[in-house]
Amino acid sequence: MTHKIILDTDPGIDDAMAILFAEAHPAIDLLAITTVFGNATIENGTRNALWLKQKYGMKADVAQGAAAPLRREPVGPTTVVHGPSGLGDVEAGEVTISADPRPAWQYIVEAVKAAPGEITLVTIGPLTNLALALQEAPEITGLVKQVVVMGGAFGVNGHRGNVTPYAEANIHDDPEAADVVFTAPWPVVIIGLDVTQQSFFSSRYLDALRDEAGEPGRFLWAVSRFYLRFYSERIGLDGCHVHDPSAIAYVIDPTLFTLREGPVRVIDGGPAIGHTLQKFDDKAHPHDEWAGYPAQRVGVAVRDQALLALYRETLVAWGKDC
């Protein structure tokens, strides 16, 4: 079975890992890469996406999206994690191709309407483009196959936040947009820190990719150097968590994850801004801002070794042809 996806991304280091994963796996038909601010500025992120498309001969369209959140003040690109332009120590080379002229939200709306029930939206950055698409064309909720989000943290497995004590970066960058997306009447799967921090690309694992996965493996090794220095210096880990590629892994093989159902809301102000909260019981309350919203699914467990094997096998097989 082939899954048609539009990948909405803020192309930083783990985004590049996810983009190559999506391009490499035969079960994924990568229709488009839509860009959003976040790990890099919108200009750098779009350039990174176009460069990767050009470098690997991807057929996917690239459409530039939102440069800032819906309402909150921008927090700025996460250069401390992803480097000055988003790809760590690697600089995107000369780009000789252009992005689609449509803004990302319009591209998403028109693509979904042209293929009702066929397209999965995979988001691995702030959710601004999807919120804008919903504002302009709310009817797409009935036309999308599903929405898979890398974002959020729900306190499962001891994971609560990575940019504040209770907020994950993608949600923190635009909490209002995230709340719009999570409360819309379409099927959402949230692959957050609760599971992405349970999987780990060790330095040895990345060394093996460099040696076994051809040119893509060497690129992933090079782009991960900055990322691994951050993890080593700030967290004391010899490797990095598997954030954005986990969303692609879910599309390929949902059995890798255990999910919990219930409506999800996002705090959009104060010290807990960006905090994601799921109501996962049936208790009645006199005041309930979760009631009446659709039950979405949140990842609470992952078969991490199987996920790591899937990623490695996919890149090694693809690398032999690159």
Side-chain angles (χ1 to χ4, degrees), residues 2 6 56 61 81 117 134 160 224 230 240 246 261 302:
T2 302
I6 294 174
Y56 292 104
D61 295 326
V81 182
L134 285 171
R160 284 176 288 275
S224 69
F230 168 81
C240 59
S246 292
E261 291 197 3
V302 58

Side-chain angles (χ1 to χ4, degrees), residues 93-165:
E94 181 183 3
V95 175
T96 59
I97 58 175
S98 300
D100 190 279
R102 291 167 288 180
W105 70 261
Q106 183 180 353
Y107 186 99
I108 291 168
V109 168
E110 293 180 4
V112 168
K113 287 185 174 182
E118 297 182 17
I119 295 176
T120 293
L121 303 179
V122 182
T123 72
I124 55 176
L127 293 165
T128 316
N129 289 334
L130 267 66
L132 291 171
L134 285 171
Q135 288 178 4
E136 296 294 332
E139 65 271 20
I140 66 171
T141 58
L143 302 175
V144 167
K145 183 177 180 181
Q146 66 176 338
V147 181
V148 179
V149 175
M150 189 279 123
F154 296 85
V156 181
N157 302 314
H159 305 301
R160 284 176 288 275
N162 61 357
V163 291
T164 79

Side-chain angles (χ1 to χ4, degrees), residues 84-318:
S85 61
L87 295 179
D89 299 322
V90 175
E91 273 294 328
E94 181 183 3
V95 175
T96 59
I97 58 175
S98 300
D100 190 279
R102 291 167 288 180
W105 70 261
Q106 183 180 353
Y107 186 99
I108 291 168
V109 168
E110 293 180 4
V112 168
K113 287 185 174 182
E118 297 182 17
I119 295 176
T120 293
L121 303 179
V122 182
T123 72
I124 55 176
L127 293 165
T128 316
N129 289 334
L130 267 66
L132 291 171
L134 285 171
Q135 288 178 4
E136 296 294 332
E139 65 271 20
I140 66 171
T141 58
L143 302 175
V144 167
K145 183 177 180 181
Q146 66 176 338
V147 181
V148 179
V149 175
M150 189 279 123
F154 296 85
V156 181
N157 302 314
H159 305 301
R160 284 176 288 275
N162 61 357
V163 291
T164 79
Y166 291 97
E168 180 274 331
N170 289 338
I171 308 304
H172 184 261
D173 274 353
D174 195 343
E176 289 89 355
D179 196 60
V180 167
V181 170
F182 293 159
T183 57
W186 55 6
V188 178
V189 174
I190 304 171
I191 303 296
L193 301 186
D194 313 271
V195 286
T196 68
Q197 289 187 339
Q198 295 293 102
S199 300
F200 186 67
F201 284 157
S202 68
S203 60
R204 180 178 295 182
Y205 179 99
L206 292 166
D207 287 349
L209 276 184
R210 175 197 60 197
D211 297 339
E212 299 171 7
E215 196 285 331
R218 293 189 291 274
F219 167 75
L220 290 170
W221 185 88
V223 81
S224 69
R225 297 306 92 190
F226 191 97
Y227 209 37
L228 264 60
R229 288 199 300 273
F230 168 81
Y231 271 87
S232 176
E233 294 168 2
R234 297 298 182 95
I235 308 176
L237 294 178
D238 182 27
C240 59
H241 295 128
V242 186
H243 292 306
D244 293 345
S246 292
I248 303 299
Y250 175 81
V251 177
I252 297 167
D253 184 2
T255 70
L256 293 171
F257 298 88
T258 302
L259 306 177
R260 183 180 72 188
E261 291 197 3
V264 175
R265 300 302 307 271
V266 182
I267 305 299
D268 62 5
I273 187 171
H275 186 24
T276 48
L277 295 163
Q278 182 184 41
K279 181 185 178 184
F280 50 89
D281 59 38
D282 296 323
K283 292 181 181 178
H285 302 271
H287 307 283
D288 190 342
E289 294 297 325
W290 284 257
Y293 289 108
Q296 310 294 14
R297 294 181 291 168
V298 169
V300 295
V302 58
R303 294 191 291 120
D304 61 308
Q305 293 306 306
L307 188 156
L308 294 174
L310 174 65
Y311 190 89
R312 183 171 178 173
E313 291 164 5
T314 301
L315 269 294
V316 169
W318 186 55

Side-chain angles (χ1 to χ4, degrees), residues 9-12 35-36 40-50 62 85-86:
T9 171
D10 53 340
T35 62
V36 67
T41 64
I42 192 61
E43 294 80 13
N44 282 336
T46 303
R47 182 166 180 258
N48 292 342
L50 286 168
V62 174
S85 61

